[in-house]
Amino acid sequence: MKKTKSLTTLRSLLADLIRPHRAVAWTALAALLLSSALALTVPLMFRGLVDGGYLSGRHDGGLEGAFAGLLGVTFLLAAVTGVRFYMVSSLGERIAADLRVRVYSHLLIQRPVFFETLKVGEVTSRLSADTTLIQTLIGSSLSFALRHMITTTGGLIMLMLTSPMLSGAVMVVVTLVVLPVMMLARRLRKQSRASQDTLADSNALATEVLQQVGTVQALNQTGRESDRFSQRCEQTYEAARRRIRTRATLLFCAIGLAFAGLTAVLWLGARAVGDGSMTAGQLAQFVMYAGFVGGGAAALSEVLGEFQRAAGATDRLVELLALDTRLPQEGIEMPAAPGGLKIQFENVHFAYPARPELPILRQFNLTIEAGETVAIVGPSGAGKSTLFGLLLRAYDPQSGLIRVQGGHPLFSIRPDSWRHAVAFVPQDPAVFSASIAENVRYARPEADDAAVRRALKEAACEELIARLPEGADTFVGERGTRLSGGERQRLAIARAILQDAPLLLLDEATSSLDAESEQWVQKAIERSAKGRTTLIIAHRLATVLAADRIVVIENGEVVEQGTHDELLTRPGLYARLASLQFIDRSASATTAV
């Protein structure tokens, strides 16, 4: 991933995120400026109290008025600070939410190749931990930094007006503080990035293992996985410890040098009061402004660490936003296909991006008529699932064309319009953490309950619904863990039936079903295939017999095609596969080894 200049990237991202909320940002800035200005008036009021009240010994009512004025300024400062805190904190939360939505929405429209090298656990870490850092930066650190920059700058100006001689000493102190802080800040930025990367790695490992916890336990690898996670956590701890050590050193340099310098300035000021070149009130005023400057410099050095961490987080989020594998969103509307889609593969050549030297499809040619049911068979690696990937626009061929419905190139159709025309049932169906009805309705959120019930009935789910205590409203658990493999498969088929698309893709859709359920689902597939084009990747004889045509693929090419009976009479690949799969070719279509 391309590295970026962290702070420049952070500044650009913040400007982009704050732009829609300018009114809130300007209000917060106005409150911040007012509170800083009020804070800078406090030393002036203390000078008046010291020189005009305590030391003069006068008690004519002016002292009480001065205290009343100071109290009024204090309450006004508190009120303005509260407004600033509310506006800035709510702005930080709003921007963090906007950023999470932007990154998440960007990820959802990427093609599968995007996720081949990027782990889901790492992505979720970036969505949570990294956006939280930016939210903290905007919601507190940025305001904190701006306030101290203003008070530090204002304090320096007032120091110059109060005592140029002592101000020169303060400038020396500030220089001694800033130089080591800047050197340490550069190191802190690199260490912050490394700390966030190791945390993301440990989260990615935990996510992957927990998703496969059944396999981990079955293979008795819980101890090994616990050790692996422990090692990752130790690496995360060591990276964080190095970052904390650098930040602690930065704080030591900033605070130690700042207050050592302030002590020296106080000594010079005390001598000036002693020889009469400065009043006690002026010294009190100078000390307070010097405290603003010294404390501001120390605070800014601490905030700089937060900026460096947020800059590292920004780099990681911008890297996600910069990677773009999306399909072009322009194109024509998908033509109507009331009787199913006609599909033509013309000299299609395709290799996966991760293995460009190993083509899966070689000059592949195939025509599927509208309304036809075609079974695609062949050995593993022949290219069957690749055909589905191309039709789903997960990938595009390197050469050749896929034409649909009237000869339109597939790439010329708007992706969202095309996907409405395709229903897909994978071999390992996706089941969401919701109810059965909600899972089916995912294909058509606007579908009513009656349509959902019909889809469940056609997918042979009646018996499943009848025995569940809450029927179709039963919660299925995360990834459908409360359902069997066959039940999850039938649920996915019901979802595809509800979608009612002109093209139906079934990738081993009956592979997880028992013989009885398969018969019901096969009837549902036959019913749902009417009036649409259906492509079936299958090895099971019942599914093959239901097809209008069987296409045999080997090494990315069509080697045979015909009906089941026609292909059995030829001494080809299909006949060999059938002889390996079935006990007797003349036996019943549902008899298989």
Side-chain angles (χ1 to χ4, degrees), residues 55-135:
L55 294 184
S56 66
R58 291 186 288 108
H59 299 284
D60 54 1
L63 185 62
E64 286 74 10
F67 270 111
L70 179 61
L71 186 62
V73 169
T74 302
F75 275 108
L76 182 59
L77 176 61
V80 174
T81 301
V83 172
R84 174 191 58 79
F85 174 80
Y86 172 79
M87 301 301 288
V88 170
S89 297
S90 61
L91 180 63
E93 294 288 350
R94 176 72 269 167
I95 287 176
D98 290 349
L99 182 58
R100 288 190 182 102
V101 170
R102 179 183 294 190
V103 174
Y104 182 72
S105 299
H106 181 75
L107 293 174
L108 283 180
I109 59 177
Q110 303 305 311
R111 291 207 263 184
V113 64
F114 181 87
F115 299 96
E116 288 182 0
T117 57
L118 199 61
K119 296 180 179 179
V120 174
E122 183 180 350
V123 174
T124 54
S125 174
R126 296 188 188 193
L127 275 173
S128 57
D130 290 354
T131 52
T132 299
L133 283 175
I134 293 176
Q135 179 261 318

Side-chain angles (χ1 to χ4, degrees), residues 177 250-260 298 301:
V177 171
L250 186 151
L251 288 174
F252 170 77
C253 292
I255 296 173
L257 292 173
F259 283 95
S301 67

